[in-house]
Amino acid sequence: MLERALLRAPLVFLLRFAAVAGVLYLFRADVSAFYLSLVTAPANWLLGGDGGVAYTRQGHELSLVYRQLGLRFTVHDIIYQNLLVALALFAATQAHWMWKLQWGGVAILTLWASHVVSLFLGGHVIVWDFLWSLPTDVRADLLPRVAERFPMERDWLFSRLFGLWHTWGRQSLALAVWALAALPLLRRLSGADTQETAK
Amino acid sequence: MLGIDTPGIDRRSLRFLGLFVAGMVSLGVLFECLPVLFQQLYMSPVAHLSTSLLQAMSVDAVLDTGHLGDGFCELAVSRILYRITFDCTGIFAILAFTSLTLAYPATVRQRASGLAVGLPAIFVFSVLRITVLGLIANLEPAWIELFHVYVMELATLGFMLFTWMYWLGQVRRA
């Protein structure tokens, strides 16, 4: 049976989390457009910075343009959901506003760095996936030029790891930063500090 | 140890984080190595129960588990075909709850009771998640993207943390 007294704190957290997530959704389009510009610039710099290969943005749609080969890959409709998840988690946690601000900043910085790296590596996966879908003779022709620009060749492990990162990793990272920050607060909730001191 | 009002990290927090990450990685590897286990014990029952619930609510829902081995089921709602993947079933919440509970400093008995209560609760929530998506597909298909990608995704995470925090309260009381 559920105990009503134990439900209060989790329920308050859940309601606050839902409210913040709802508010963030209203601003999602604006946040997404602004955030994309913060992510694509450093990712383009990592890709060479000469404009030969670059991410370009039209509204919320992101494309990888490979000018040398005349290719354009539409990435996807970016939302960066784990950023909103992290913001909602920190905003919903009952803590001092300074704590939220500082840890929220740590979370945003960590997630931003992960987004830049995943965008940079994602470019490799997209281009190599495309290359391997071409007929052998065409691929052999393009391979030296592509390898020059994208040295990290696609292989099973890389694609697999990248897939796992997209499926599990991104959400886990947001959750991990929040859990790390909130653990002292949660230990108070569970009395674990008291138990460990008693031992 | 630094105070909780500054972004300080103590050793116990780092240990918790390490165990949580190790748990997620281990479960992720297990998931990748034994997909059949998760297909048979999780995806299939979630999909079947959701379809039964939809049918009980007079929704024209037909489930095809012929592609279960490929990692998805097909749910036809009002003759529109939807693909149910692991992402749709909220498997992340199951793995994250397990890792959080095992990483938290508590006795083996407390952890076992947390998993015994939490995992079935999240399972039931996942069934409701697919059912809600099925209802949306039936009533307002244009909203399915919003509910699938945002609303139910965050609701699942919120519910998972709600369940975990309830367990933390139980640990305290014990």
Side-chain angles (χ1 to χ4, degrees), chain B residues 52-89:
Chain B
S52 300
L53 266 176
L54 286 167
Q55 288 166 346
M57 288 185 273
S58 306
V59 175
D60 175 22
V62 180
L63 181 71
D64 176 10
T65 55
H67 295 283
L68 194 61
D70 301 320
F72 66 91
C73 300
E74 286 181 331
L75 178 66
V77 179
S78 303
R79 294 178 192 172
I80 302 175
L81 206 59
Y82 294 93
R83 183 176 283 194
I84 302 176
T85 63
F86 273 112
D87 283 352
C88 313
T89 59

Side-chain angles (χ1 to χ4, degrees), chain A residues 67-141:
Chain A
R67 290 194 179 86
Q68 197 182 1
L69 302 184
L71 298 170
R72 174 185 283 267
F73 305 94
T74 299
V75 180
H76 56 79
D77 190 23
I78 296 285
I79 4 169
Y80 290 117
Q81 189 133 300
N82 65 350
L83 188 73
L84 299 186
V85 165
L87 290 175
L89 285 175
F90 281 103
T93 307
Q94 281 181 302
H96 193 273
W97 65 270
M98 201 60 188
W99 178 91
K100 294 184 188 195
L101 211 62
Q102 289 174 326
W103 272 108
V106 170
I108 289 171
L109 206 65
T110 308
L111 295 176
W112 171 81
S114 76
H115 292 150
V116 170
V117 171
S118 71
L119 209 55
F120 166 66
L121 294 176
H124 288 70
V125 174
I126 291 167
V127 172
W128 281 102
D129 274 347
F130 169 74
L131 200 71
W132 282 99
S133 71
L134 296 173
T136 315
D137 54 330
V138 182
R139 184 165 67 236
D141 183 43

Side-chain angles (χ1 to χ4, degrees), chain A residues 3 21 81 99 160 189-190, chain B residues 4 32 104 149-150 172-173:
Chain A
E3 294 170 56
Q81 189 133 300
W99 178 91
R160 200 72 186 160
L189 180 72
S190 75
Chain B
I4 57 166
E32 286 298 313
Y104 193 78
V149 173
Y150 195 79
R172 177 181 194 168
R173 194 204 50 190

Side-chain angles (χ1 to χ4, degrees), chain A residues 2-3 14 17 21 25 81 85 89 99 102-103 160 164 167-168 172 184-185 187-190 193 196, chain B residues 4-7 10 12 24 32 87 91-92 104 146 149-150 153-154 157-158 161 166 168 172-173:
Chain A
L2 290 174
E3 294 170 56
L14 183 63
F17 179 73
Y25 181 78
Q81 189 133 300
V85 165
L89 285 175
W99 178 91
Q102 289 174 326
W103 272 108
R160 200 72 186 160
L164 279 176
T167 314
W168 314 105
S172 299
L185 304 173
R187 276 205 301 255
R188 282 183 184 177
L189 180 72
S190 75
D193 275 345
E196 289 194 21
Chain B
I4 57 166
D5 289 328
T6 61
D10 60 28
R12 279 177 292 181
M24 285 304 284
E32 286 298 313
D87 283 352
I91 186 90
F92 173 76
Y104 193 78
L146 163 68
V149 173
Y150 195 79
E153 193 73 26
L154 267 72
L157 184 71
L161 287 173
Y166 177 80
L168 291 183
R172 177 181 194 168
R173 194 204 50 190

